[in-house]
Structures are given as C-alpha cells and as structure tokens.
Amino acid sequence: MSQPAHVIHIQNLTKAFGKVRALDGLDLTVRPGEVHGFLGPNGAGKSTAIRILLGLMRATRGHVELFGADPWRAAATLHGRLAYVAGDVALWPALTGGQCLDVIGATHGAVDETRRGRLIERFELDPTKRIRDYSKGNRQKVALVAALAAQVDLLILDEPTSGLDPLMEQVFQQCVRERRNDGVTVLLSSHILSEVEALADRVSIIRRGRTVATGSIADLGRHARTSVHAVTVEEPEDLAHADGVADWACERLDGQVDVRFTTDADHLDEMIGRLHAARIRTLTVAPPRLDALFLRAYGNAPDARETGEPLAEDAR
C-alpha cells in the first residue's frame, strides 16, 4: 500500500457551532517528516481544527484526511499512529508520574522504553511523585515525555511548552529536532513564535477560521521587508529616496555614517550595491522574523473580538 503524499490534508474545512463559525474554509497541508507551525491568536480556530483531526469532533463541511483516512471514521486506528499533547494537561492526581506514563504509553501502542528513560532525565522529572504534588510545568513534562517516547509517525502538539521554564523549552526543542530527524512529522501549535521559528520547516497562519498565509519562513519573508543597518565612510548617494526604501534613518557619528532602513527583496541587491559604493565598515541585514510575518498576515483588518462577532468557546 502506497504512502499518502501528505500526513494531514485539509481543504475548505468548516465547523459551525450554531450561528458561529469556528472554522470557515480552512486549508492545511502537512508533509511527511516536517515540523509544521500552526499559528493564530485565541479565537482563530486552531484547537477546533486539532480536535477534528483527532476525530473528537465532526466537521460541518469540507475535506479532512489524516494519513489518507477520515479521522472521524477511523479515529481508533489512526490514534495508534500519533501522540497528542495539549496545553493544559489533565492527569490522574492519585497516580505517580511514572504510573501516568505507563497509562498514557498503553494508549500509544508502542513505547521506546530506553528513550523514555533518557527523556525523564533530560526533563528532570521525578516519576515517583504523585501528580497532585506536581507543578503545572511538571504535569506538562509527563505529557511531553509520554509523547516523545511513543513509537508514532505524527506528533500533534498544542501549546506543548505551557508552564515550562526557558531551560526546559530548550530541551523540548532539541527533542523535537531529534524526532524529526527520525522521520516523525510534527504539527506544532504555539503562541511562542520564537519556538515555532526555531523548529518549523513551514508554517500556516490562520485568522478567524481561514488560512491567510502558508509556506516556509523564507517564502513568506520574500513578501515582507528586510531591515538593513550599515556604517559607511560616506553617505550613500540617492539611497534615502530610492524605490523600495522605507524607514530611512541616517546619522553622522565620529566621522562615519550610520544608516538604517528597510527594503523589499526585489531591491535588496541594488541597495547593498549603493552601500558598497559608500564604503561599508559594518553591515547587518536582518530578514523579517516570524513575529513580523505574523503581524503582516493579520494586517489592519479587525478581528472578531474587535467587531463584536461571537466566537465559539473552544475555537482557539
């Protein structure tokens, strides 16, 4: 049996709760072996889409495939191929962390016990303590260790580092990279844009239940502006008013010229050439970061919260 071209394939997905549309024509494609960032603010519909992918909720309209199958009809089979981590983990308070790992591991079908032991050490988790005595961060670690130790083809991570300190976030990122290197596909939904930027091969940004941008960060950046900071011997000639230049600032300091501006990708080479003609001392070219791309995708259009349009309670 041939493998499907996409691990996740969603087209024109709609989910309505009464008169409220949590999803309104969502498109999402996740390729095998990639980390795919799934971005949008509260109310955008991310968690609703994930619940539909998990077969926990039925779509109103649209096409949804997970490993080439319908998750609503084949949830039991498909769950054997994936592990899911929610942002607010609910565990059994009377059990120890280790016992919870055993219970969760049984739902995954196969667990790499050696890897699980290493993950417990890396996340500095005490598996002998009861869940009721864990902090939120330690409860999150239990879910992460269980998912990362599972022998699965897909990880669905919805705000997975909620409650983790920065050091543990770094451990998480390294573990995700290792699983990707093993061929595991990852759908990563996170409000921490730096985390997505560090991990994702491609991203999809959604707004009010629709995809507004998708592609690699480099692809999306071709349509955004690049920041340039240079120190030159002379003031660059005719650069301040050149096509493609914005946010211009120029200041003479200690006999040199400090120049800052932004430009689009089509004019970048020309701008760098003009800086060279002014004799560059230092040059920093910063492509647009994910947070800038995220804000650009949202533009100035009002969100549902600004218009007073109701949002489904679980349509995060």
Side-chain angles (χ1 to χ4, degrees), residues 267-284:
H267 293 88
L268 182 59
D269 286 346
E270 178 189 351
M271 300 306 109
I272 298 302
R274 296 194 188 194
L275 290 171
H276 275 294
R279 299 163 60 191
I280 292 174
R281 288 290 183 249
T282 65
L283 175 64
T284 303

Side-chain angles (χ1 to χ4, degrees), residues 43-176:
K46 303 187 304 298
S47 290
T48 298
I50 287 173
R51 290 188 182 106
I52 291 173
L53 277 174
L54 293 171
L56 304 176
M57 186 181 291
R58 191 170 192 173
T60 303
R61 286 192 301 275
H63 181 78
V64 183
E65 283 186 10
L66 182 60
F67 296 112
D70 179 352
W72 179 253
R73 298 178 182 276
T77 301
L78 294 173
H79 280 204
R81 301 185 64 181
L82 65 86
Y84 167 62
V85 176
D88 190 8
V89 175
L91 299 171
W92 302 271
L95 298 184
T96 65
Q99 289 170 330
C100 284
L101 287 172
D102 291 337
V103 173
I104 298 172
T107 67
H108 292 149
V111 175
D112 186 324
E113 297 290 347
T114 300
R115 184 164 65 235
R116 190 175 84 167
R118 291 199 302 266
L119 288 166
I120 289 172
E121 292 181 1
R122 293 171 71 178
F123 279 101
E124 299 177 3
L125 179 69
D126 182 354
T128 65
K129 292 179 65 175
R130 295 193 183 277
I131 295 299
R132 65 166 62 98
D133 299 321
Y134 275 168
S135 65
K136 174 178 172 56
N138 280 325
R139 294 196 300 273
Q140 201 68 25
K141 290 178 185 180
V142 171
L144 285 171
V145 168
L148 292 166
Q151 297 284 63
V152 293
D153 301 311
L154 171 65
L155 295 173
I156 298 179
L157 309 177
D158 189 7
E159 305 295 341
T161 57
S162 175
L164 296 190
D165 62 43
L167 183 60
M168 289 297 104
E169 286 182 12
Q170 292 301 311
V171 173
F172 162 77
Q173 290 183 24
Q174 185 57 41
C175 291
V176 170

Side-chain angles (χ1 to χ4, degrees), residues 214-276:
T214 190
S216 69
I217 294 174
D219 289 338
L220 298 178
R222 292 191 183 100
H223 305 289
R225 303 189 67 81
T226 295
S227 299
V228 180
H229 176 208
V231 175
T232 59
V233 174
E234 303 168 359
E235 183 171 342
E237 186 176 355
D238 298 326
L239 186 56
H241 304 292
D243 290 342
V245 170
D247 307 309
W248 174 264
C250 181
E251 184 178 5
R252 290 192 172 275
L253 297 171
D254 300 325
Q256 297 180 325
V257 183
D258 187 275
V259 179
R260 299 171 188 264
F261 62 91
T262 63
T263 186
D264 54 58
D266 292 339
H267 293 88
L268 182 59
D269 286 346
E270 178 189 351
M271 300 306 109
I272 298 302
R274 296 194 188 194
L275 290 171
H276 275 294

